[in-house]
Structures are given as C-alpha cells and as structure tokens.
C-alpha cells in the first residue's frame, strides 16, 4: 500500500534517496523525483510507461534557483515569472549541462515552473535540486487531481504521496517559450492566452507538435478515459447511442432520460474556472461508472474554456462535432 500524508520531511527524505514522491500542485499531482539524478528520472519514465522522447517539467521555488540551472533568463521570462509564479505557467529555457539529457529528452531547453501549493513549496524550499514531475498518471490516461486517483492507478514504486487535497486549477500548466523573437505557446493550460497577452503582448499558439514531429498520431489520445468519450450535441448523441449505457459529462445541466447518477455537471453556475477544477475528477468518476460510453460537449471557447476544450478533444477518440 502506498503511504499518503502531509509530511514535508518524509517527502524530502525520499526525494533525497532518489525515490518517487507524488507532489500536489495547483494544476495536477506530479510524480516527483530529483531532476538531476538520471536513475531517479528513469524510474518515472518506467513507472508512467512514458516514451523517452517526451520531456519532463522541472519544479523549484524561486527565480534565483531556476537561474542556477539555465544559461539565460530572458527579459520576457522575467516579466512572466514576476506575474505568474508561483502558478500554472511553464517556461522553456536553455538548459545547463547539470540538467541531464534524460530529463529533457535530449532537447536543449528545459521547462521550469514554480508551482502554487504550500506543501510542495515547503519541500522545494528545503532542497537544492529541482524536482522533475510529470502528471501522476500512466502515459495517455486522465491526469490526477486527488490522491485517490493515484492510488487507483498505481500500486507500487511510489514512496509517498504528499496529500494537498484537491487541485485548485485542475488542468496542467500553460507551456511557453521564445524562438526568433516570437513568444510561442506550446500547450494551453492554467494561465489563459488572454492573461498572457495582457502582460507580454501577442503570443502565437504553436500548432504543430514540435517535440514529436513524426509521432503526433501517437499522441492523439491523451488525457483519455478507457471508455469512449464522444463530443457533440448531447441530445443528438443520446438518440444515436440509445442502445448503450450512457454517461454524461455536461457543462451545467442534467439531461432527461438518463439516470442522474450517470451524469456529472462541471459547473452549475457556468463558471469556467470551476469547470476546469472539476474536469479530471469528473472523468475519473465517469470512467469508473457502469456505463459504456461518455457523451460530452465543448465549453465556451474563451479564457480557460479554451484549455478545457483542448483537453476534452485530446481525451476523446470520436469527435462528432
Ligand atoms: O501542470 C503541469 O505542468 C504538471 C504539474 C505536475 O506541474 N505537469 C505536467 O507534466 O503536466 P507532463 O509531463 O504531464 O506534461 C509535460 C509536457 C510534456 O509532455 C512536454 O510536451 C512538455 O511538457 N515539455 C516538457 N519539457 C519540455 C521541453 N524541454 N521542451 C518542450 N516541451 C516540453
Ligand atoms: Mg501529463
């Protein structure tokens, strides 16, 4: 049985030994290890069954510490860090040699962020190495926002789960970087495009998959439940799939004709932030219900709604919209 608790000391002890400690963040829980220890990082790739070409994000607690591990910290990074850290923004920066190749999948840049969680900051403050932490789910599956999600997905090889309760943002960090004077967003997430642009002006969304140009097909199903998640107009889909046991993930309302206990609402007050906080939790619940498939619709496509839609689309295997 994996141990769960609130001990910062216990977390540090295990990280220093090269073990995997699950850390809470405001976005999702992460499988944390010493980012400078190749063997420890390797354990995370193996546990997640993650391909080695998919790099890990490093977490620390101050801008000065980040600067120890990167060659330059551009002015724009300084502005972003001052505005959004601690918070759900990862900045790609040119790495120093001390960050091993395995952590960044041999890329020249490393992703850094300062997460906004008291317990995790308590850990990061007291260690002199960054913690590499991918979301604490098997590769491709739904990300965890509660300790029980991790206990359902993993049985061994985790030394400790630091319990920070539910994640306040609920979807992964936005990833940003700089290329040829442009500011590019590689993954939309917890910090919205609207908020970024207020602070640094126009950003571009990087559409292609820079990291895995030859294998984007492999990543079509990400953040996915085991059940089919089907996107469309829910009533139309209900008719089409009437011979199946249907589960519904809805923004704000229940649908007549489907058992209420098989329906989950993301935010009855149409609050996109609440919807984001509830997204993965709801998908975990629906995936473990006695239903054959999950019907859902996209949310309003602005602010964090864009990031939610990105995750819903990647999580679904059949798009009918
Ligand atoms: O909110 C988050 O970012 C969470 C929490 C735990 O911090 N972490 C997270 O990690 O989402 P993960 O491994 O599930 O997703 C990280 C993604 C990778 O799939 C990769 O696409 C991108 O970040 N990434 C990491 N390092 C990169 C780099 N050096 N260059 C380009 N992309 C990078
Ligand atoms: Mg992930």
């Amino acid at each position: 049985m994996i141990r769960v608790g609130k001990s910062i000391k216990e977390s540090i002890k295990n990280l220093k030994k090269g073990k995997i400690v699950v850390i809470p963040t405001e976005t999702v829980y992460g499988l944390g290890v010493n980012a400078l220890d190749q063997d420890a990082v390797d354990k995370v790739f193996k546990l997640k069954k993650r391909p080695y070409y998919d790099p890990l994000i490093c977490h620390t607690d101050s801008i000065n510490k980040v600067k120890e591990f990167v060659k330059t910290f551009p002015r724009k990074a300084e502005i972003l860090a001052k505005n959004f850290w601690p918070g759900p923004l990862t900045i790609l920066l040119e790495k120093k040699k001390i960050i091993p190749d395995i952590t960044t999948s041999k890329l020249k840049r490393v992703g850094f962020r300062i997460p906004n969680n008291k317990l995790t900051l308590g850990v990061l403050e007291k260690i002199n190495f960054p913690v590499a932490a991918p979301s604490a789910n098997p590769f491709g599956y739904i990300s965890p926002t509660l300790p029980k999600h991790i206990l359902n997905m993993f049985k061994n090889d985790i030394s400790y789960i630091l319990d920070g309760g539910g994640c306040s943002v609920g979807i992964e960090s936005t990833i940003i970087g700089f290329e040829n004077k442009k500011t590019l967003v590689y993954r939309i997430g917890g910090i919205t495009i609207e908020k970024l642009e207020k602070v640094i002006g126009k950003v571009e969304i990087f559409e292609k998959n820079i990291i895995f140009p030859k294998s984007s097909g492999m990543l079509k199903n990400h953040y996915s439940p085991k059940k089919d998640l089907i996107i469309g107009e829910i009533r139309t889909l209900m008719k089409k799939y009437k011979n199946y046991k249907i589960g519904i993930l809805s923004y704000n309302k229940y649908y007549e004709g489907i058992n209420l206990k098989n329906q989950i609402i993301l935010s009855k007050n149409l609050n996109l932030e609440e919807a984001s906080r509830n997204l993965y939790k709801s998908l975990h619940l629906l995936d473990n219900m006695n239903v054959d498939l999950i019907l859902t619709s996209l949310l309003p496509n602005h602010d964090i709604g864009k990031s939610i839609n990105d995750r819903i689309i990647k999580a679904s295997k059949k798009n009918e919209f």
Side-chain angles (χ1 to χ4, degrees), residues 48 50 135 137 143 172 222-223:
K48 263 189 83 96
R50 180 182 181 107
S135 53
N137 50 292
S143 303
E172 294 84 351
H222 221 63
Y223 317 105

Side-chain angles (χ1 to χ4, degrees), residues 86-128:
L89 183 71
T90 296
I91 308 179
L92 300 182
L93 299 156
E94 222 183 308
K95 80 174 187 74
K96 284 189 186 158
K97 268 215 175 92
I98 184 169
I99 304 277
D101 278 344
I102 185 170
T103 304
T104 60
S105 302
K106 297 197 171 136
L107 293 171
K108 289 203 178 84
R109 291 187 297 182
V110 57
F112 259 102
R113 81 179 191 98
I114 302 181
N116 191 11
N117 178 281
K118 253 198 190 154
L119 285 174
T120 292
L121 286 173
V123 171
L124 296 171
E125 275 160 17
K126 292 182 196 67
I127 53 181
N128 55 11

Side-chain angles (χ1 to χ4, degrees), residues 226-228 243-247 289-294:
K226 293 186 191 96
K227 310 261 164 77
D228 275 356
N243 296 328
Y244 292 82
K245 270 186 245 151
I246 291 175
M289 272 180 198
N290 182 21
V291 296
D292 301 322
L293 39 83
I294 307 164

